[in-house]
Amino acid sequence: MRKLMQEMGLGLAALGRPAYITLGRDEDFGGDRDVATMRARTWEVLDAARAAGVRYFDAARSYGLAEEFLAGWLTDRGIRPGEV
């Protein structure tokens, strides 16, 4: 299982740009879609993924704030280059 999780990645498109999701987003996000809330929720997902062994994260400019959220999380958690 650990090997499988190391090969699995997490794409941040739907986390950095919730309008990317067309089904169920109101249930997942509710009306609270300010940047601070979106960042906190993204960091929760990143923490859970890392704890589960995921080491590949995908972010791109077209993913809304995903790059900013990922960079902030890496810095805040003290994750060094090459760890993920």
Side-chain angles (χ1 to χ4, degrees):
M1 180 68 157
R2 182 98 175 134
K3 176 86 170 136
L4 175 63
M5 294 305 291
Q6 288 175 343
E7 294 174 356
M8 186 178 288
L10 174 65
L12 301 180
L15 295 166
R17 192 175 109 203
Y20 188 81
I21 304 170
T22 57
L23 297 174
R25 71 174 174 221
D26 289 333
E27 294 170 25
D28 291 338
F29 284 95
D32 205 9
R33 295 187 198 163
D34 62 87
V35 173
T37 300
M38 288 174 49
R39 180 184 300 110
R41 289 182 177 158
T42 299
W43 286 18
E44 288 175 18
V45 171
L46 289 166
D47 286 337
R50 186 169 181 233
V54 175
R55 296 295 181 262
Y56 177 81
F57 301 97
D58 175 55
R61 188 176 313 165
S62 63
Y63 295 177
L65 297 172
E67 289 179 318
E68 177 187 326
F69 294 165
L70 180 59
W73 176 76
L74 292 168
T75 300
D76 187 77
R77 300 304 191 257
I79 300 170
R80 296 180 310 242
E83 284 186 54
V84 297

Coordinates of all heavy atoms in Angstrom, one line a residue:
M1 N 0.8 -1.2 0.0 CA 0.0 0.0 0.0 C 0.9 1.2 0.0 O 0.6 2.2 -0.7 CB -0.9 0.0 1.2 CG -1.8 1.2 1.3 SD -3.0 1.1 0.0 CE -4.3 2.1 0.7
R2 N 1.9 1.3 0.8 CA 2.8 2.4 0.8 C 3.4 2.7 -0.5 O 3.4 3.9 -0.9 CB 4.0 2.2 1.8 CG 4.9 3.3 2.0 CD 4.5 4.1 3.2 NE 5.5 5.1 3.5 CZ 5.1 6.4 3.7 NH1 3.9 6.7 3.8 NH2 6.0 7.3 3.9
K3 N 3.8 1.7 -1.3 CA 4.4 1.9 -2.6 C 3.3 2.6 -3.5 O 3.6 3.5 -4.3 CB 4.8 0.6 -3.2 CG 5.3 0.7 -4.6 CD 6.8 1.0 -4.7 CE 7.3 0.8 -6.1 NZ 8.1 1.9 -6.5
L4 N 2.1 2.1 -3.5 CA 1.0 2.7 -4.3 C 0.8 4.2 -3.9 O 0.7 5.0 -4.8 CB -0.3 1.9 -4.0 CG -1.5 2.5 -4.7 CD1 -1.3 2.4 -6.3 CD2 -2.7 1.7 -4.3
M5 N 0.8 4.5 -2.7 CA 0.6 5.9 -2.3 C 1.7 6.8 -2.7 O 1.5 7.9 -3.1 CB 0.4 6.0 -0.8 CG -0.9 5.3 -0.3 SD -2.4 5.9 -1.1 CE -2.5 7.6 -0.4
Q6 N 2.9 6.3 -2.8 CA 4.1 7.1 -3.2 C 3.9 7.4 -4.7 O 4.5 8.4 -5.2 CB 5.4 6.4 -2.9 CG 5.7 6.4 -1.5 CD 6.9 5.6 -1.1 OE1 7.4 4.8 -1.9 NE2 7.5 5.8 0.0
E7 N 3.3 6.5 -5.4 CA 3.1 6.7 -6.9 C 1.8 7.5 -7.2 O 1.6 7.9 -8.3 CB 3.0 5.4 -7.6 CG 4.4 4.6 -7.5 CD 4.3 3.2 -8.0 OE1 3.2 2.8 -8.4 OE2 5.3 2.5 -8.0
M8 N 1.0 7.8 -6.2 CA -0.2 8.5 -6.4 C 0.1 10.0 -6.2 O 0.8 10.4 -5.3 CB -1.3 8.0 -5.4 CG -2.6 8.7 -5.7 SD -3.8 8.0 -4.5 CE -4.0 6.4 -5.2
G9 N -0.6 10.8 -7.0 CA -0.4 12.3 -6.8 C -1.8 12.9 -6.5 O -2.8 12.3 -6.6
L10 N -1.7 14.2 -6.2 CA -2.9 15.0 -5.9 C -2.8 16.2 -6.8 O -1.9 17.0 -6.7 CB -2.9 15.4 -4.4 CG -4.0 16.3 -4.0 CD1 -5.4 15.7 -4.2 CD2 -3.8 16.8 -2.6
G11 N -3.8 16.4 -7.6 CA -4.0 17.6 -8.4 C -4.8 18.6 -7.7 O -5.8 18.3 -7.1
L12 N -4.3 19.8 -7.8 CA -5.0 20.9 -7.0 C -5.9 21.8 -7.7 O -6.4 22.8 -7.2 CB -3.9 21.8 -6.3 CG -2.9 21.0 -5.4 CD1 -1.9 22.0 -4.9 CD2 -3.6 20.3 -4.3
A13 N -6.3 21.4 -8.9 CA -7.2 22.2 -9.7 C -8.5 22.6 -9.0 O -8.9 23.7 -9.0 CB -7.5 21.6 -11.1
A14 N -9.2 21.6 -8.5 CA -10.5 21.8 -7.8 C -10.3 22.5 -6.5 O -11.3 23.1 -6.0 CB -11.2 20.5 -7.7
L15 N -9.1 22.5 -5.9 CA -8.9 23.1 -4.6 C -8.6 24.6 -4.8 O -9.0 25.4 -4.0 CB -7.8 22.4 -3.8 CG -8.2 21.0 -3.4 CD1 -6.9 20.2 -3.0 CD2 -9.2 21.0 -2.3
G16 N -7.8 24.9 -5.8 CA -7.4 26.3 -6.1 C -8.4 27.1 -6.9 O -8.3 28.3 -6.9
R17 N -9.3 26.4 -7.5 CA -10.3 27.0 -8.3 C -11.6 26.2 -8.2 O -11.9 25.4 -9.1 CB -9.8 27.1 -9.8 CG -10.7 28.0 -10.7 CD -10.0 28.0 -12.1 NE -10.9 27.3 -13.0 CZ -10.5 26.7 -14.1 NH1 -9.3 26.8 -14.5 NH2 -11.4 26.1 -14.9
P18 N -12.4 26.4 -7.1 CA -13.6 25.6 -6.9 C -14.6 25.7 -8.0 O -15.4 24.7 -8.1 CB -14.1 26.1 -5.6 CG -13.3 27.3 -5.2 CD -12.2 27.4 -6.1
A19 N -14.6 26.7 -8.8 CA -15.6 26.7 -9.9 C -15.3 25.7 -10.9 O -16.1 25.4 -11.8 CB -15.6 28.1 -10.6
Y20 N -14.1 25.1 -10.9 CA -13.7 24.0 -11.7 C -14.5 22.8 -11.5 O -14.8 22.0 -12.4 CB -12.2 23.7 -11.4 CG -11.5 22.7 -12.3 CD1 -11.0 23.1 -13.5 CD2 -11.4 21.4 -12.0 CE1 -10.3 22.2 -14.4 CE2 -10.7 20.5 -12.8 CZ -10.2 20.9 -14.0 OH -9.6 20.0 -14.8
I21 N -15.1 22.6 -10.3 CA -15.9 21.5 -10.0 C -17.4 21.9 -10.4 O -17.8 23.0 -10.1 CB -16.0 21.2 -8.5 CG1 -14.6 21.0 -8.0 CG2 -16.9 20.1 -8.2 CD1 -14.5 20.9 -6.5
T22 N -18.1 21.1 -11.1 CA -19.4 21.4 -11.5 C -20.5 20.7 -10.7 O -21.6 21.1 -10.6 CB -19.6 21.1 -13.0 OG1 -19.4 19.8 -13.2 CG2 -18.8 22.0 -13.8
L23 N -20.1 19.6 -10.1 CA -21.1 18.8 -9.3 C -20.7 18.8 -7.8 O -19.6 18.5 -7.5 CB -21.1 17.3 -9.8 CG -21.6 17.1 -11.3 CD1 -21.4 15.7 -11.7 CD2 -23.0 17.6 -11.4
G24 N -21.7 19.1 -7.0 CA -21.5 18.9 -5.5 C -20.7 20.0 -4.9 O -20.4 19.9 -3.7
R25 N -20.2 21.0 -5.6 CA -19.3 22.0 -5.0 C -20.0 22.8 -3.9 O -19.4 23.2 -2.9 CB -18.7 22.9 -6.0 CG -19.6 23.9 -6.6 CD -18.9 24.9 -7.5 NE -19.8 25.7 -8.2 CZ -19.8 26.1 -9.5 NH1 -18.7 25.7 -10.2 NH2 -20.7 26.8 -10.0
D26 N -21.3 23.1 -4.0 CA -22.0 23.8 -3.0 C -22.0 23.0 -1.7 O -21.9 23.5 -0.6 CB -23.4 24.2 -3.4 CG -23.4 25.2 -4.5 OD1 -22.4 26.0 -4.5 OD2 -24.4 25.3 -5.3
E27 N -22.1 21.7 -1.8 CA -22.1 20.8 -0.6 C -20.7 20.8 0.0 O -20.6 20.8 1.2 CB -22.5 19.4 -0.9 CG -23.9 19.2 -1.4 CD -24.2 17.9 -2.0 OE1 -23.5 16.9 -1.6 OE2 -25.2 17.8 -2.8
D28 N -19.7 20.8 -0.8 CA -18.3 20.7 -0.3 C -17.8 22.1 0.2 O -17.2 22.1 1.2 CB -17.3 20.3 -1.4 CG -17.5 18.8 -1.8 OD1 -18.1 18.1 -1.0 OD2 -17.2 18.5 -2.9
F29 N -18.2 23.2 -0.4 CA -17.7 24.5 -0.1 C -18.7 25.4 0.6 O -18.4 26.3 1.3 CB -17.2 25.2 -1.3 CG -15.9 24.7 -1.8 CD1 -15.8 23.8 -2.8 CD2 -14.7 25.2 -1.3 CE1 -14.6 23.3 -3.3 CE2 -13.5 24.8 -1.7 CZ -13.4 23.8 -2.7
G30 N -20.0 25.1 0.4 CA -21.0 26.0 1.0 C -20.8 27.4 0.4 O -20.3 27.6 -0.7
G31 N -21.2 28.4 1.1 CA -21.1 29.8 0.7 C -19.8 30.4 1.1 O -19.5 31.5 0.8
D32 N -19.0 29.6 1.8 CA -17.7 30.2 2.4 C -16.6 29.9 1.4 O -15.9 28.9 1.6 CB -17.5 29.5 3.7 CG -16.6 30.4 4.7 OD1 -16.4 31.6 4.3 OD2 -16.2 29.9 5.7
R33 N -16.4 30.8 0.5 CA -15.3 30.6 -0.5 C -14.3 31.7 -0.6 O -13.7 32.0 -1.6 CB -15.9 30.4 -1.9 CG -16.8 29.2 -2.0 CD -17.3 29.0 -3.4 NE -18.4 28.0 -3.3 CZ -19.3 27.9 -4.3 NH1 -19.2 28.5 -5.4 NH2 -20.3 27.0 -4.1
D34 N -14.1 32.4 0.6 CA -13.1 33.4 0.6 C -11.7 32.8 0.6 O -11.6 31.6 0.8 CB -13.3 34.3 1.8 CG -13.1 33.5 3.1 OD1 -11.9 33.4 3.6 OD2 -14.1 33.1 3.7
V35 N -10.7 33.5 0.2 CA -9.4 33.0 0.0 C -8.8 32.3 1.3 O -8.3 31.2 1.2 CB -8.4 34.1 -0.5 CG1 -7.0 33.6 -0.5 CG2 -8.8 34.6 -1.8
A36 N -9.0 32.9 2.4 CA -8.5 32.3 3.7 C -9.1 30.9 3.9 O -8.4 30.0 4.3 CB -8.8 33.2 4.9
T37 N -10.4 30.8 3.7 CA -11.1 29.5 3.9 C -10.6 28.5 2.9 O -10.4 27.3 3.2 CB -12.6 29.7 3.8 OG1 -13.0 30.6 4.8 CG2 -13.4 28.4 4.0
M38 N -10.5 28.9 1.6 CA -10.0 28.0 0.6 C -8.6 27.5 0.9 O -8.3 26.4 0.7 CB -10.1 28.7 -0.8 CG -11.5 28.8 -1.3 SD -11.6 29.8 -2.9 CE -10.3 29.0 -3.9
R39 N -7.8 28.4 1.3 CA -6.4 28.1 1.7 C -6.4 27.1 2.8 O -5.7 26.0 2.8 CB -5.6 29.3 2.1 CG -4.1 29.0 2.5 CD -3.4 30.2 3.0 NE -3.3 31.2 2.0 CZ -4.0 32.4 2.0 NH1 -4.8 32.7 3.0 NH2 -3.9 33.3 1.0
A40 N -7.2 27.3 3.9 CA -7.2 26.4 5.0 C -7.7 25.0 4.6 O -7.1 24.0 5.0 CB -8.1 27.0 6.1
R41 N -8.7 25.0 3.8 CA -9.2 23.7 3.3 C -8.2 22.9 2.4 O -8.0 21.7 2.5 CB -10.5 23.9 2.6 CG -11.7 24.2 3.5 CD -13.0 24.4 2.8 NE -14.0 24.7 3.8 CZ -15.2 25.2 3.4 NH1 -15.4 25.6 2.2 NH2 -16.1 25.5 4.4
T42 N -7.5 23.7 1.6 CA -6.5 23.1 0.8 C -5.4 22.5 1.6 O -4.9 21.4 1.4 CB -5.9 24.1 -0.2 OG1 -7.0 24.6 -1.1 CG2 -4.8 23.5 -1.1
W43 N -4.9 23.3 2.6 CA -3.9 22.8 3.5 C -4.3 21.6 4.3 O -3.5 20.7 4.5 CB -3.4 23.9 4.4 CG -2.6 25.0 3.8 CD1 -2.5 25.3 2.5 CD2 -1.8 26.0 4.5 NE1 -1.7 26.4 2.3 CE2 -1.2 26.8 3.5 CE3 -1.5 26.2 5.8 CZ2 -0.4 27.9 3.8 CZ3 -0.6 27.2 6.1 CH2 -0.1 28.1 5.1
E44 N -5.6 21.5 4.6 CA -6.1 20.3 5.3 C -5.9 19.1 4.4 O -5.5 18.0 4.8 CB -7.5 20.5 5.7 CG -7.8 21.4 6.9 CD -9.2 21.6 7.2 OE1 -10.1 20.8 6.7 OE2 -9.5 22.6 7.8
V45 N -6.3 19.2 3.1 CA -6.2 18.2 2.2 C -4.8 17.8 1.9 O -4.4 16.6 1.9 CB -6.9 18.5 0.8 CG1 -6.6 17.5 -0.2 CG2 -8.4 18.7 1.1
L46 N -3.9 18.8 1.8 CA -2.5 18.5 1.6 C -1.9 17.8 2.8 O -1.1 16.8 2.6 CB -1.7 19.8 1.3 CG -2.0 20.5 0.0 CD1 -1.5 21.9 -0.1 CD2 -1.4 19.7 -1.1
D47 N -2.2 18.2 4.0 CA -1.7 17.5 5.2 C -2.2 16.1 5.2 O -1.4 15.2 5.5 CB -2.3 18.2 6.5 CG -1.6 19.5 6.8 OD1 -0.4 19.7 6.3 OD2 -2.2 20.3 7.5
A48 N -3.4 15.8 4.9 CA -4.0 14.4 4.9 C -3.3 13.6 3.8 O -2.9 12.4 4.1 CB -5.5 14.5 4.7
A49 N -3.1 14.2 2.7 CA -2.4 13.5 1.6 C -1.0 13.1 2.0 O -0.5 12.0 1.8 CB -2.4 14.3 0.3
R50 N -0.3 14.1 2.5 CA 1.1 13.8 2.9 C 1.2 12.8 4.0 O 2.0 11.9 4.0 CB 1.8 15.1 3.4 CG 3.3 14.9 3.7 CD 3.9 16.3 3.9 NE 5.3 16.1 4.2 CZ 6.0 16.6 5.2 NH1 5.3 17.4 6.1 NH2 7.3 16.4 5.4
A51 N 0.3 12.8 5.0 CA 0.2 11.8 6.0 C 0.0 10.4 5.5 O 0.4 9.4 6.0 CB -0.8 12.2 7.1
A52 N -0.8 10.4 4.4 CA -1.1 9.1 3.7 C 0.0 8.6 2.8 O -0.1 7.5 2.3 CB -2.4 9.2 3.0
G53 N 1.1 9.4 2.7 CA 2.2 9.0 1.9 C 2.3 9.6 0.5 O 3.2 9.3 -0.3
V54 N 1.3 10.4 0.1 CA 1.4 11.1 -1.2 C 2.5 12.1 -1.2 O 2.7 12.9 -0.3 CB 0.1 11.8 -1.5 CG1 0.1 12.6 -2.8 CG2 -1.1 10.8 -1.5
R55 N 3.4 12.0 -2.3 CA 4.5 12.9 -2.4 C 4.6 13.7 -3.7 O 5.5 14.4 -4.0 CB 5.8 12.1 -2.2 CG 6.0 11.4 -0.9 CD 6.1 12.5 0.2 NE 6.3 11.9 1.5 CZ 5.3 11.8 2.4 NH1 4.1 12.1 2.1 NH2 5.6 11.3 3.6
Y56 N 3.5 13.5 -4.5 CA 3.5 14.2 -5.8 C 2.2 15.1 -5.8 O 1.1 14.7 -5.6 CB 3.4 13.3 -7.0 CG 3.3 14.0 -8.3 CD1 4.4 14.5 -8.9 CD2 2.0 14.1 -8.9 CE1 4.3 15.2 -10.1 CE2 1.9 14.8 -10.1 CZ 3.0 15.3 -10.7 OH 2.9 16.0 -11.9
F57 N 2.5 16.4 -6.0 CA 1.4 17.4 -6.0 C 1.5 18.2 -7.3 O 2.5 18.6 -7.7 CB 1.5 18.3 -4.8 CG 1.4 17.6 -3.5 CD1 2.6 17.2 -2.8 CD2 0.2 17.1 -2.9 CE1 2.5 16.5 -1.6 CE2 0.1 16.4 -1.8 CZ 1.3 16.1 -1.1
D58 N 0.3 18.4 -7.9 CA 0.3 19.1 -9.2 C -0.5 20.4 -9.0 O -1.6 20.4 -8.5 CB -0.5 18.2 -10.2 CG -0.7 18.9 -11.5 OD1 0.3 19.3 -12.1 OD2 -1.8 18.9 -12.0
A59 N 0.2 21.5 -9.5 CA -0.4 22.8 -9.5 C 0.0 23.5 -10.8 O 1.1 23.2 -11.3 CB 0.0 23.6 -8.3
A60 N -0.9 24.4 -11.3 CA -0.6 25.1 -12.5 C -1.2 26.4 -12.4 O -2.2 26.6 -11.7 CB -1.1 24.3 -13.7
R61 N -0.8 27.4 -13.2 CA -1.3 28.7 -13.2 C -2.8 28.7 -13.5 O -3.6 29.5 -12.9 CB -0.6 29.5 -14.3 CG -1.0 31.0 -14.3 CD -0.2 31.8 -15.3 NE 1.2 31.4 -15.2 CZ 2.1 31.7 -16.1 NH1 1.8 32.4 -17.2 NH2 3.4 31.4 -15.9
S62 N -3.3 27.8 -14.3 CA -4.7 27.7 -14.7 C -5.6 27.1 -13.6 O -6.8 27.1 -13.7 CB -4.9 26.9 -16.0 OG -4.5 25.6 -15.7
Y63 N -4.9 26.7 -12.5 CA -5.7 26.1 -11.3 C -6.0 27.2 -10.3 O -6.1 26.9 -9.1 CB -4.9 25.1 -10.6 CG -4.6 23.8 -11.4 CD1 -3.8 22.8 -10.9 CD2 -5.0 23.6 -12.7 CE1 -3.5 21.7 -11.6 CE2 -4.7 22.5 -13.4 CZ -4.0 21.5 -12.9 OH -3.7 20.3 -13.6
G64 N -6.2 28.4 -10.7 CA -6.6 29.5 -9.8 C -5.5 29.8 -8.8 O -4.4 30.1 -9.2
L65 N -5.8 29.6 -7.5 CA -4.8 29.9 -6.5 C -4.0 28.7 -6.0 O -3.3 28.8 -5.0 CB -5.5 30.5 -5.3 CG -6.3 31.8 -5.5 CD1 -7.1 32.3 -4.4 CD2 -5.2 32.9 -5.9
A66 N -4.0 27.6 -6.7 CA -3.4 26.4 -6.3 C -1.9 26.5 -6.1 O -1.3 26.0 -5.1 CB -3.6 25.3 -7.4
E67 N -1.2 27.3 -7.0 CA 0.2 27.4 -6.8 C 0.5 28.2 -5.5 O 1.5 27.9 -4.8 CB 0.8 28.2 -8.0 CG 0.9 27.4 -9.3 CD 1.4 28.1 -10.5 OE1 1.1 29.3 -10.7 OE2 2.2 27.5 -11.2
E68 N -0.2 29.3 -5.3 CA 0.0 30.0 -4.1 C -0.3 29.2 -2.8 O 0.5 29.2 -1.8 CB -1.0 31.3 -4.1 CG -0.9 32.1 -2.8 CD -2.0 33.2 -2.8 OE1 -2.3 33.7 -3.8 OE2 -2.4 33.5 -1.7
F69 N -1.4 28.4 -2.8 CA -1.7 27.6 -1.7 C -0.6 26.5 -1.5 O -0.2 26.3 -0.3 CB -3.1 26.9 -1.9 CG -4.2 27.8 -1.9 CD1 -5.5 27.4 -2.4 CD2 -4.2 29.1 -1.5 CE1 -6.6 28.2 -2.4 CE2 -5.3 30.0 -1.5 CZ -6.5 29.5 -2.0
L70 N -0.1 25.9 -2.5 CA 0.9 24.9 -2.4 C 2.2 25.5 -1.9 O 2.8 24.9 -0.9 CB 1.1 24.2 -3.7 CG 2.2 23.1 -3.7 CD1 1.9 22.0 -2.7 CD2 2.4 22.5 -5.1
A71 N 2.6 26.6 -2.4 CA 3.8 27.3 -2.0 C 3.8 27.7 -0.5 O 4.7 27.5 0.2 CB 4.1 28.5 -2.9
G72 N 2.6 28.2 -0.1 CA 2.5 28.6 1.3 C 2.5 27.4 2.2 O 3.1 27.5 3.3
W73 N 1.9 26.3 1.8 CA 1.9 25.1 2.6 C 3.3 24.5 2.8 O 3.7 24.2 3.9 CB 0.9 24.1 2.0 CG 0.9 22.7 2.6 CD1 0.2 22.4 3.8 CD2 1.5 21.5 2.2 NE1 0.4 21.1 4.1 CE2 1.2 20.5 3.1 CE3 2.3 21.2 1.0 CZ2 1.6 19.2 2.9 CZ3 2.7 19.9 0.9 CH2 2.3 18.9 1.8
L74 N 4.0 24.5 1.7 CA 5.4 24.0 1.7 C 6.2 24.8 2.7 O 7.0 24.3 3.5 CB 6.0 24.0 0.3 CG 5.4 23.0 -0.7 CD1 5.9 23.3 -2.1 CD2 5.8 21.6 -0.3
T75 N 6.1 26.1 2.6 CA 6.9 27.0 3.4 C 6.4 26.9 4.9 O 7.3 26.7 5.8 CB 6.7 28.5 3.0 OG1 7.2 28.6 1.6 CG2 7.5 29.4 3.9
D76 N 5.1 26.9 5.2 CA 4.6 26.8 6.5 C 5.0 25.5 7.2 O 5.3 25.5 8.4 CB 3.1 27.0 6.5 CG 2.5 27.0 7.9 OD1 2.6 28.1 8.5 OD2 2.0 26.0 8.4
R77 N 5.0 24.4 6.4 CA 5.3 23.1 7.0 C 6.8 22.8 7.0 O 7.2 21.7 7.5 CB 4.6 22.0 6.2 CG 3.1 22.1 6.2 CD 2.5 22.2 7.6 NE 1.0 22.0 7.6 CZ 0.1 23.0 7.8 NH1 0.6 24.3 7.9 NH2 -1.2 22.8 7.7
G78 N 7.6 23.7 6.4 CA 9.1 23.5 6.4 C 9.5 22.3 5.5 O 10.5 21.7 5.8
I79 N 8.7 22.1 4.5 CA 9.0 21.0 3.6 C 10.1 21.5 2.6 O 9.9 22.4 1.9 CB 7.8 20.5 2.8 CG1 6.7 20.1 3.9 CG2 8.1 19.4 1.8 CD1 5.4 19.8 3.3
R80 N 11.2 20.8 2.6 CA 12.4 21.1 1.8 C 12.2 20.6 0.3 O 11.5 19.6 0.1 CB 13.6 20.6 2.4 CG 14.0 21.1 3.8 CD 15.2 20.5 4.3 NE 15.2 19.1 4.2 CZ 15.2 18.2 5.2 NH1 15.3 18.7 6.5 NH2 15.1 16.9 5.1
P81 N 12.9 21.3 -0.6 CA 12.9 20.8 -2.0 C 13.3 19.3 -2.0 O 14.3 18.9 -1.3 CB 14.0 21.7 -2.7 CG 13.9 22.9 -1.9 CD 13.7 22.5 -0.4
G82 N 12.6 18.6 -2.8 CA 12.9 17.1 -3.0 C 12.2 16.2 -2.1 O 12.1 15.0 -2.3
E83 N 11.6 16.8 -1.0 CA 10.8 15.9 -0.1 C 9.5 15.5 -0.7 O 8.9 14.5 -0.5 CB 10.5 16.7 1.2 CG 11.7 16.7 2.1 CD 11.3 17.4 3.5 OE1 10.3 16.9 4.1 OE2 11.9 18.3 3.9
V84 N 8.9 16.4 -1.6 CA 7.7 16.1 -2.3 C 7.9 16.5 -3.7 O 8.8 17.3 -4.1 CB 6.4 16.8 -1.7 CG1 6.2 16.4 -0.3 CG2 6.6 18.3 -1.8

